[in-house]
Amino acid sequence: MEKIRMITPLVEMDGDEMTRILWQKIKDKLILPYVDLKTEYYDLGLKYRDETDDQVTVDSANATLKYGVAVKCATITPNAQRVEEYSLKQMWKSPNGTIRTILDGTVFRSPILVKGISPSVRTWQKPITIARHAYGDVYKNTEFRVPGAGKAEICFTDENGVETRQTIMTFKGEGVMQGMHNTDASIASFAHSCFQYALSVKQDLWFSTKDTISKTYDHRFKDIFAELYETRYKSAFEAAGIEYFYTLIDDAVARVIRSKGGFIWALKNYDGDVMSDMVATAFGSLAMMTSVLVSPNGQYEYEAAHGTVTRHYYRYLKGEETSTNPVATIFAWTGALRKRGELDNLPDLCAFADRLEKATIATIESGKMTGDLAVLYEGEATKLNSDEFLDAIAANL
Ligand code: NAP
Ligand code: MG
């Protein structure tokens, strides 16, 4: 059989521990036999990040800016224990943080649904994708414990030294206060990413904040989204037959629970943090969550939402059998291959990505799955180890 050809390479970011082991197996068993795979390879495994003083992470992000599509394996974010375990020169920063800073992107997370593992919310039939703004607000705040009676003020000093001052509260006793911010530039990037992602997956986009209470702060988010929609995206949305709408977060929460799913829900930083955990849990398992970072200029980096599955890796090193779920990592590959196929106009590559996803889901729906899913499955489940599960997918494929 002739292999499916590619034109532009994918940026391949290898990673750590159990997911690094799965990474190679996925390529060997599910991709390389069918695709004449072209990648520009970056080893983001912790050892090589340390050897290169983390330059490899920066290089991989710059390559993503150049080529437009990357696929990333989970990586260790070092803490004190990892510094010792790997004898690191220093406690390197989170690769995802470094990549996000360079691409200036928004992270979209969506669950992979299979029959036999029902969401806790009965009406949900299609995935709900959460788009979380990953800059500012309470995550970059200044907080203050108020020791006793006194006046709390908020003050902005412009470049000419002119002050604008407002009283927050005249305290009669102890309390707390905080200051936080966001920037128009970051909000606009977030909005561009959301509109572009909605167009790329052809799904409605919902955006919600608490603008009735936060009449200036949250209202600014609402206005920036509305202005960009009207001036830049409206006609493309209409042509794609999809909708953008803004609604108050209280209303959005009620609508989400009553919905059938199948849309993107854009949220401010804190709301996205909380709601993504709720949505992921209600859909089933972290091992079935995909994640894609989309830059405002339309670059895409695909990955699994979970980490390197350290506990399984230590068992693997002892020679024990592991049943680690490769599905989210497989879908990172299919997402990247499909996007590459779309950009390079390679329908065969897109069709291959579709088939691999179908084969993966069909395998689970036939009752063959890894241990994490077997405990959730409503039918008769056969628990397979990682290799057996990948072989079953390959047979279906
Ligand atoms: P984790 O790797 O997501 O694993 C937490 C637990 O969730 C596992 O021990 C396992 O539970 C279950 N799990 C997660 N993914 C699974 C899969 N594919 N198949 C089966 N079970 C799965 O999170 P962690 O243990 O907190 O973090 C481990 C390392 O990953 C850390 O060094 C962290 O820095 C890194 N990390 C990286 C990323 C990223 O690169 N995007 C994200 C998060 C964490 P059981 O052990 O009960 O089976
Ligand atoms: Mg959270």
Side-chain angles (χ1 to χ4, degrees):
M1 195 185 81
E2 206 180 310
K3 289 189 188 181
I4 296 161
R5 91 195 158 90
M6 292 180 65
I7 298 172
T8 317
L10 283 177
V11 178
E12 176 182 354
M13 304 170 174
D14 207 346
D16 288 301
E17 299 194 314
M18 204 59 221
T19 40
R20 188 183 179 98
I21 307 293
L22 291 176
W23 192 259
Q24 192 60 48
K25 290 182 194 288
I26 290 168
K27 281 169 59 180
D28 289 345
K29 289 177 193 277
L30 299 177
I31 298 173
L32 291 170
Y34 311 103
V35 180
D36 189 13
L37 187 67
K38 277 194 182 166
T39 73
E40 194 164 291
Y41 179 86
Y42 293 87
D43 184 0
L44 267 55
L46 186 51
K47 192 166 162 287
Y48 195 63
R49 272 184 276 151
D50 193 53
E51 274 172 35
T52 61
D53 294 338
D54 210 22
Q55 185 60 39
V56 65
T57 308
V58 174
D59 291 345
S60 73
N62 285 328
T64 309
L65 288 176
K66 178 176 167 194
Y67 292 113
V69 187
V71 57
K72 179 178 171 292
C73 179
T75 47
I76 292 168
T77 297
N79 53 16
Q81 180 261 320
R82 298 293 196 172
V83 172
E84 202 169 307
E85 182 183 356
Y86 284 81
S87 309
L88 300 179
K89 295 181 207 161
Q90 66 178 75
M91 202 186 294
W92 304 108
K93 285 194 197 145
S94 149
N96 284 359
T98 302
I99 294 166
R100 206 176 303 150
T101 303
I102 293 171
L103 295 182
D104 182 23
T106 299
V107 175
F108 296 84
R109 290 200 159 175
S110 23
I112 300 155
L113 301 195
V114 293
K115 290 196 197 81
I117 299 175
S118 309
S120 316
V121 179
R122 264 177 308 164
T123 50
W124 290 356
Q125 293 165 9
K126 291 179 186 165
I128 294 168
T129 300
I130 299 274
R132 171 186 170 189
H133 186 208
Y135 176 82
D137 302 349
V138 73
Y139 299 85
K140 232 173 153 54
N141 70 354
T142 304
E143 341 183 273
F144 198 90
R145 173 101 170 75
V146 174
K151 186 163 72 165
E153 291 177 300
I154 190 165
C155 174
F156 172 74
T157 311
D158 76 12
E159 286 171 334
N160 304 316
V162 179
E163 290 186 354
T164 310
R165 200 175 274 275
Q166 280 180 32
T167 301
I168 297 173
M169 176 71 187
T170 306
F171 281 91
K172 294 199 173 68
E174 291 175 39
V176 284
M177 58 186 281
Q178 75 170 334
M180 60 184 195
H181 81 284
N182 223 298
T183 67
D184 280 12
S186 175
I187 300 166
S189 285
F190 173 47
H192 280 298
S193 298
C194 290
F195 289 127
Q196 284 173 17
Y197 187 73
L199 285 169
S200 92
V201 296
K202 296 199 172 47
Q203 287 184 1
D204 291 347
L205 176 66
W206 304 14
F207 180 46
S208 54
T209 72
K210 191 72 178 175
D211 67 296
T212 48
I213 298 298
S214 175
K215 291 186 198 307
T216 302
Y217 197 110
D218 280 17
H219 214 281
R220 188 75 195 130
F221 281 76
K222 179 183 175 179
D223 285 346
I224 288 173
F225 267 72
E227 191 194 320
L228 287 175
Y229 179 68
E230 288 298 327
T231 56
R232 302 281 293 276
Y233 294 101
K234 194 174 181 186
S235 53
F237 266 58
E238 284 168 1
I242 57 172
E243 200 188 349
Y244 165 68
F245 77 95
Y246 175 86
T247 185
L248 191 65
I249 190 157
D250 315 44
D251 178 52
V253 167
R255 284 180 191 234
V256 164
I257 296 296
R258 285 196 309 259
S259 77
K260 293 194 166 77
F263 55 88
I264 300 153
W265 187 12
L267 290 156
K268 286 177 60 201
N269 210 347
Y270 172 81
D271 301 337
D273 184 354
V274 178
M275 289 301 156
S276 68
D277 282 338
M278 190 198 71
V279 168
T281 309
F283 270 112
S285 160
L286 195 60
M288 298 291 278
M289 284 295 278
T290 62
S291 184
V292 55
L293 175 72
V294 182
S295 82
N297 304 316
Q299 283 107 3
Y300 294 78
E301 183 235 305
Y302 293 83
E303 64 171 339
H306 59 78
T308 59
V309 210
T310 310
R311 279 206 292 272
H312 294 211
Y313 181 60
Y314 290 153
R315 288 209 293 273
Y316 168 87
L317 288 182
K318 279 194 257 166
E320 291 171 28
E321 198 173 82
T322 63
S323 182
T324 316
N325 187 339
V327 171
T329 306
I330 294 172
F331 274 61
W333 275 100
T334 53
L337 290 169
R338 184 186 295 106
K339 180 55 70 183
R340 200 63 270 169
E342 284 168 16
L343 295 175
D344 293 348
N345 195 18
L346 299 170
D348 285 354
L349 194 59
C350 298
F352 172 76
D354 292 345
R355 275 192 216 110
L356 179 48
E357 290 183 358
K358 252 194 198 158
T360 303
I361 288 170
T363 304
I364 300 169
E365 291 179 347
S366 74
K368 296 174 186 166
M369 63 201 77
T370 46
D372 57 310
L373 296 182
V375 297
L376 300 172
Y377 195 65
E378 287 142 19
E380 191 87 17
T382 310
K383 177 184 161 180
L384 303 180
N385 66 36
S386 303
D387 276 307
E388 291 165 343
F389 181 59
L390 288 168
D391 289 338
I393 296 171
N396 268 331
L397 183 63

